Amino acid sequence: MSLDALRAALPAHALVTDAAALDIARADKSGHRSIAAPLAIVEAEDASHVQAALRWASEHRVPVVPRAAGTGLAGGAIAGGGELVVSVDRMRRLLDVSVVDQSCRVEPGIRNAELNDLLATHGLWWPPDPASRAISSVGGNIATNAGGLLCAKYGVTREWVLALDVVLADGSLISTGHRTVKGVTGLDLTALLIGSEGTLGIIVGATLKLRPLPEGGVWTVGAFFDDEAVAAAACTAVTAARIRPAIMELVGRDAVSMLAAYTGQPMMGAFVLVQTDELGAEATSEVVAEILAAHGGRVERTADAGRSDVLVQVRRQVHFALESFGTVLVEDVSVPRSRMADMFRACDEAAARHGVRLATTAHAGDGNLHPTFVFDGTEPSEAIWACANEVFEAGIAMGGTLTGEHGVGILKRRWLVDELGERQLALQHAVKAAFDPLGILNPGKAI
């Protein structure tokens, strides 16, 4: 495949064919790696570069893999042989901020933490808060409808996006949504594009809904429990008490054990992290501490920023700790919050049956669990896939879903029909065909 026409349509530095760069694009944070390297990478610096790439790809029927930071956990940004990577990683500007409208416009490559550092000077912030916020991109958050630690109170990415600029498969540019608080003109294509994992178009800009920085103090509660099921029951009791903390996370015993080895800090048991913010945070944190203690938790409560950060890092460092022990395969099931303890038990029992190492953490405020397999080698064994199958079946049987925030990518396509059914999956394929009639956008991913 000649790249001459594509090279001519782009700035000289925008088309990358360096072997080392192509090799990086073969993987993301899912633990998977494609068999062969892609054709090339378009390092877009504005929307026109994305348009040029997709026009060329459509003309030559070349599959396109959208990519930004490459931190996804479902394999959605992995590129293989014969594919063109269109990267928006260099598009990292905050374009404007409206303090009155409490909104901003951004390019998709900007990182979560980077964006909030800039917004803080205006007294504003964007709530989506993945554990990987320092390295994850806003465009990636939107493409997967990412969640994170603050979902318990502030919800997922979809609730914080007003409008999108998107390049379609044929290279045309559309703007969806609105900058107003309300707007119901036509079908909600913005909501459809959020979470579509690059299968419907490539996001090149976004208008985000913001919040004022929280008033009042932030209080943090950490508690260690003897086992995950008791810790999960304690978290469910917090929810049942009609308390809505900003953060409520649960780290299972095996993950805590690996984290202790990784950090050199003494820790044992399952860990629950709760953080309350805004006015009334102190009183709410006191009630939370009482509930956790009543369930057998060894509780610490603090408003000290330094000590709070230590407790929060117990959760944020889990993924890096697990990676230090081997290859990781991070799963992402969600169940009703009332079934969270049952789901932890199901994970433990499945892992014991199949003889695999499965460390589970959870966004306990919304019932989103991350069972994470840790193994030697580069590819999961048949025992791991068999265990994963049991975990997914258990989650769906409890009224849950295959993925709460990471997306389907390449990891979960085989189980889609189990959750969606044949008819709904056919409708989704029809929607995909309307946006991408040639089927060149992220083929083999998501639906």
Side-chain angles (χ1 to χ4, degrees):
M1 174 68 66
S2 173
L3 297 171
D4 291 346
L6 179 57
R7 186 175 284 108
L10 296 166
H13 61 276
L15 187 63
V16 178
T17 55
D18 174 71
L22 298 182
D23 190 61
I24 291 171
R26 292 173 57 194
D28 60 6
K29 289 289 187 179
S30 67
H32 279 262
R33 186 176 179 81
S34 66
I35 296 172
L39 281 173
I41 301 170
V42 173
E43 290 283 4
E45 294 178 350
D46 61 49
S48 69
H49 299 164
V50 178
Q51 290 183 275
L54 285 172
R55 290 190 191 106
W56 179 87
S58 290
E59 180 181 351
H60 296 280
R61 306 294 197 269
V62 173
V64 173
V65 177
R67 189 176 174 96
T71 59
L73 293 165
I78 291 175
E83 296 180 328
L84 176 70
V85 176
V86 176
S87 172
V88 295
D89 195 44
R90 294 182 181 176
M91 299 174 63
R92 294 178 66 161
R93 292 182 298 166
L94 171 61
L95 299 172
D96 68 55
V97 179
S98 173
V99 175
V100 175
D101 293 330
Q102 294 183 15
S103 67
C104 70
R105 290 193 309 120
V106 300
E107 292 181 325
I110 194 168
R111 306 307 195 248
N112 290 65
E114 180 182 18
L115 172 61
N116 276 324
D117 286 345
L118 294 170
L119 292 174
T121 63
H122 301 276
L124 298 167
W125 67 300
W126 192 55
D129 183 55
S132 58
R133 64 179 182 173
I135 57 175
S136 65
S137 69
V138 169
N141 284 200
I142 296 170
T144 58
N145 194 24
L149 274 62
L150 290 167
C151 286
K153 182 173 183 177
Y154 296 105
V156 295
T157 299
R158 178 174 283 118
E159 286 135 274
W160 299 97
V161 178
L162 293 172
L164 293 174
D165 298 319
V166 179
V167 176
L168 301 179
D170 63 1
S172 57
L173 176 65
I174 64 169
S175 295
T176 70
H178 45 79
R179 296 195 68 171
T180 55
V181 175
K182 296 187 289 186
V184 293
T185 307
L187 300 178
D188 191 351
L189 295 185
T190 301
L192 180 63
L193 287 158
I194 297 168
S196 63
E197 301 183 53
T199 62
L200 304 182
I202 299 181
I203 296 162
V204 293
T207 301
L208 308 176
K209 182 166 62 173
L210 308 176
R211 280 182 65 98
L213 288 169
E215 294 184 11
V218 173
W219 282 76
T220 303
V221 181
F224 284 94
F225 293 81
D226 290 336
D227 65 70
E228 296 91 341
V230 174
C235 292
T236 300
V238 171
T239 302
R242 301 184 180 182
I243 295 170
R244 237 183 139 186
I247 292 173
M248 185 155 67
E249 299 287 305
L250 199 167
V251 182
R253 288 171 296 176
D254 204 7
V256 167
S257 174
M258 286 189 271
L259 184 63
Y262 176 72
T263 62
Q265 300 298 315
M267 289 178 273
M268 184 178 297
F271 178 72
V272 170
L273 169 73
V274 179
Q275 200 165 73
T276 59
D277 64 358
E278 300 188 304
L279 300 176
E282 181 177 4
T284 302
S285 70
E286 188 171 359
V287 175
V288 167
E290 290 171 357
I291 293 172
L292 299 184
H295 282 75
R298 301 177 291 281
V299 178
E300 176 183 353
R301 185 172 73 99
T302 182
D304 177 74
R307 185 58 192 163
S308 291
D309 186 61
V310 169
L311 294 173
V312 171
Q313 289 306 317
V314 174
R315 174 62 182 90
R316 290 201 184 276
Q317 292 189 76
V318 166
H319 184 75
F320 305 106
L322 269 54
E323 281 188 322
S324 73
F325 278 81
T327 305
V328 297
L329 174 64
V330 186
E331 296 300 350
D332 172 38
V333 295
S334 284
V335 295
R337 288 173 291 192
S338 59
R339 302 300 303 273
M340 195 164 52
D342 297 332
M343 193 64 216
F344 265 99
R345 276 190 287 267
C347 290
D348 288 344
E349 291 167 4
R353 264 192 301 275
H354 294 280
V356 299
R357 190 167 199 182
L358 185 61
T360 304
T361 59
H363 303 305
D366 56 26
N368 185 189
L369 291 84
H370 294 313
T372 303
F373 295 95
V374 183
F375 57 94
D376 296 326
T378 58
E379 289 296 327
S381 65
E382 287 303 315
I384 286 175
W385 286 123
C387 182
N389 187 66
E390 283 195 26
V391 168
F392 296 147
E393 287 180 347
I396 292 172
M398 292 179 196
T401 178
L402 292 167
T403 175
E405 59 183 1
H406 291 169
V408 173
I410 61 174
L411 296 187
K412 297 185 177 178
R413 292 181 69 237
R414 71 178 81 173
W415 291 282
L416 274 181
V417 71
D418 296 338
E419 179 175 338
L420 300 178
E422 296 283 0
R423 181 66 178 125
Q424 187 182 161
L425 193 55
L427 286 171
Q428 296 201 20
H429 287 153
V431 171
K432 160 74 169 168
F435 277 81
D436 179 21
L438 298 178
I440 65 169
L441 285 174
N442 228 6
K445 314 287 177 54
I447 62 170

